[in-house]
Amino acid sequence: MGFDLVVRGATVVTPGHREAADIGIAGGRIAQLGGTMTGTEELAAHGLLAIPGGVDAHTHLVHQGLAARVGFPVWVDDFWSGSRAAIAGGITTVGNMTYPVPDEGGAEETPGAAITREMAGAAGEAAVDWFLHPILLHPAALPEGEVGALAGSGHASIKMFLSDPDLAADEPALLAAATAAQAAGSVTLLHCEDGAMLAQAGEQLIAAGRGTVANFPDARPVAAEVAAVDQAIGIARRTGARVYIVHLSSAAALDRCRRARAAGLPVYVETRPLYLHLTRERFDEPDAAKYVGAPPLREQFDREALWAGLAGGDVDTVCSDHAPWTLQAKLDPALNVVTARQGVADLETLMPMLYSEGVVTGRITLDQFVALTAANAARIFGLYPRKGAIAVGSDADIALWDPGHRRTIDGAHMQSRSGYSVYDGWQVQGWPRFVIHRGQVAFADGQITTRPGDGQWLPRNRTAGILPAAEVTPRTRAIFRECPGPELGADVAPVQNVAQDSVHGLGPPPWLQASAIAMTATVVTSHNSSTACGKPRRWYVRRVCRGPERERRTARREPTWIFSRPGISSPEASRVNMVSRATSAGSPLARSSLIEFRACCSHVLRLITGPPIASPRPPRSRRLGEHRDDRPGGAGRAGRAGTGLPAAPRPRRRRPRRGS
Ligand SMILES: [Zn+2]
């Protein structure tokens, strides 16, 4: 089998599993993992880790022409310089914050108009793939149906600022926007600092003669963050909206989120590198202003709590909040605690710093690094497993990581136009040596080899949002742990609100349907009576048809999924189906790569690929229940020579009713 590109010899990192395996890439996607393959081009990657290209869901890139139009200083990276910074740091997808600005006539754009403008501006500049978060500055004044219309056109998230005193005080508008987002399948991003408390603290400092930027942390106390996080949790509780708290900074706020998640509320937590690496002592330095971001740098125990949150699963994502200024702009002496320019460049340093300070030191595992930098953001924002996974069928976005490479950070010679880094002088171990973006080598040995416009916009439709891990019921977790193979036990957080077509049997997601790669798959769905939708618990195993059967069904316009065991009502029976999977000879990666795992409401759905191209021999059948000891570490593992397969299930041709 000839591929466009074959990556030789890297250690492929998938959840709970790593293995030296070749990667075959065709048509911009991963087409084979392990086994024999040849490629038109080949890349030697021995000694490197193959990890998913980073998904940084929080950036502030400004397309060209906008700065001149708005007439005030704006962040200095456009989508091209931002893309270069991302790629040089192993990131291949960014989620950008889209601000409404005054239009040509001076009136503020609607969020939809801002998105239209930014879509056009980003398209010719971006070299990484990108999606946009519409910002609602004035939700009370939104055009009718705006949130739903944005989601319908692929922008399934909104962002609001509780740091705006007017907005934070307008609870009905906040609830209405979050309710609309929930109905549209969008995630609600919230900047959590209480606007009224910030205003009061800032005024008091200035009145007391302590208005210089060195006092910035005192202008934005932890209490303001906690108050706003409480409000955000209240919004999640009252509307059911999935709330994503951007750049969480303190131990106290994290504790509130942890409790909310334990209570089953859909609250996601993002933090950013600043709070993991720096503390407020930096504000004692003469150029304190260069560290300004909101919320501000916190205390050492906050930093430790965030690291513990990364390791413990209380924090979902580490995103850059890349908001770059030049050092000169940051250090402008006219600025004070209220007007200080917020944000720093962090796209290029996010992954290497987290690897160096997290994985190398043992604070987090390599799996957690991948989850925090790629997989979780891809899930939350509806891009998984197209993004965030090294798996057959996924986009070939791969950072080939040199775990031993050391470099000293020097912002003056990095890609961002900010020209400095808050980590200048730090010794960092672990950098990408090559970065592959949709099958093209975008970065090689320090050189950017991609061009403006090589990035694609990623539409998101009603597909957003894993549930926090705390929401996995003990029973669900126990059932999944029965599945054979370490990779199946490691990655079981249910996902919420998948596209309806892939939950209710109308076929695989469009991107998968469009794939030229033939694959066998097993899908498991559940319907759990204990959760919101209140339907009876039922389990299914579904299989994607292949070959002539698929063609026949396609010609008859029938679903290409087969429900192999519908209507099973007990966890015991479902366990039996869980262990059914298509397998083949070859590497464990080739045998079963997780390529999709989503759910709607209480639905749990997994898609496990079998042999990616052609099975060397037909898979064998096994009786149900024979895999009881095949769980990780189970007694039966050593003796398992063969492979599991669905136990001759009786296919059901009828399309299931919606909501079943
Ligand atoms: Zn931001």
PDB file of all heavy atoms in Angstrom, residues 58 60 159 247 321, ligand 1:
ATOM      1  N   HIS A  58      -7.771  28.899  22.816  1.00  0.00           N
ATOM      2  CA  HIS A  58      -7.913  30.269  23.325  1.00  0.00           C
ATOM      3  C   HIS A  58      -6.760  31.143  22.851  1.00  0.00           C
ATOM      4  O   HIS A  58      -5.698  31.178  23.461  1.00  0.00           O
ATOM      5  CB  HIS A  58      -7.963  30.219  24.865  1.00  0.00           C
ATOM      6  CG  HIS A  58      -8.302  31.525  25.502  1.00  0.00           C
ATOM      7  ND1 HIS A  58      -8.749  31.618  26.801  1.00  0.00           N
ATOM      8  CD2 HIS A  58      -8.261  32.805  25.047  1.00  0.00           C
ATOM      9  CE1 HIS A  58      -8.971  32.887  27.111  1.00  0.00           C
ATOM     10  NE2 HIS A  58      -8.668  33.638  26.058  1.00  0.00           N
ATOM     11  N   HIS A  60      -5.778  35.104  20.730  1.00  0.00           N
ATOM     12  CA  HIS A  60      -6.224  36.438  20.320  1.00  0.00           C
ATOM     13  C   HIS A  60      -5.367  36.885  19.148  1.00  0.00           C
ATOM     14  O   HIS A  60      -4.409  37.637  19.307  1.00  0.00           O
ATOM     15  CB  HIS A  60      -6.105  37.422  21.479  1.00  0.00           C
ATOM     16  CG  HIS A  60      -7.005  37.102  22.638  1.00  0.00           C
ATOM     17  ND1 HIS A  60      -8.311  37.534  22.707  1.00  0.00           N
ATOM     18  CD2 HIS A  60      -6.796  36.362  23.755  1.00  0.00           C
ATOM     19  CE1 HIS A  60      -8.857  37.093  23.839  1.00  0.00           C
ATOM     20  NE2 HIS A  60      -7.960  36.373  24.490  1.00  0.00           N
ATOM     21  N   LYS A 159     -18.644  33.519  23.923  1.00  0.00           N
ATOM     22  CA  LYS A 159     -17.839  33.945  25.062  1.00  0.00           C
ATOM     23  C   LYS A 159     -18.407  35.236  25.636  1.00  0.00           C
ATOM     24  O   LYS A 159     -18.787  36.142  24.893  1.00  0.00           O
ATOM     25  CB  LYS A 159     -16.385  34.172  24.662  1.00  0.00           C
ATOM     26  CG  LYS A 159     -15.533  34.519  25.890  1.00  0.00           C
ATOM     27  CD  LYS A 159     -14.089  34.810  25.567  1.00  0.00           C
ATOM     28  CE  LYS A 159     -13.310  35.091  26.849  1.00  0.00           C
ATOM     29  NZ  LYS A 159     -11.979  35.644  26.582  1.00  0.00           N
ATOM     30  N   HIS A 247      -9.028  30.543  31.459  1.00  0.00           N
ATOM     31  CA  HIS A 247      -7.866  30.942  32.267  1.00  0.00           C
ATOM     32  C   HIS A 247      -8.133  31.029  33.777  1.00  0.00           C
ATOM     33  O   HIS A 247      -7.958  32.067  34.391  1.00  0.00           O
ATOM     34  CB  HIS A 247      -7.225  32.225  31.753  1.00  0.00           C
ATOM     35  CG  HIS A 247      -8.139  33.393  31.509  1.00  0.00           C
ATOM     36  ND1 HIS A 247      -9.013  33.861  32.454  1.00  0.00           N
ATOM     37  CD2 HIS A 247      -8.298  34.180  30.424  1.00  0.00           C
ATOM     38  CE1 HIS A 247      -9.663  34.896  31.953  1.00  0.00           C
ATOM     39  NE2 HIS A 247      -9.257  35.102  30.733  1.00  0.00           N
ATOM     40  N   ASP A 321      -4.045  31.476  25.756  1.00  0.00           N
ATOM     41  CA  ASP A 321      -4.553  32.845  25.848  1.00  0.00           C
ATOM     42  C   ASP A 321      -3.539  33.797  25.207  1.00  0.00           C
ATOM     43  O   ASP A 321      -3.272  34.889  25.722  1.00  0.00           O
ATOM     44  CB  ASP A 321      -4.861  33.234  27.299  1.00  0.00           C
ATOM     45  CG  ASP A 321      -5.755  34.471  27.380  1.00  0.00           C
ATOM     46  OD1 ASP A 321      -6.160  34.985  26.328  1.00  0.00           O
ATOM     47  OD2 ASP A 321      -6.031  34.917  28.509  1.00  0.00           O
TER      48      ASP A 321
HETATM   49 ZN    ZN B   1      -8.260  35.569  26.389  1.00  0.00          ZN
END
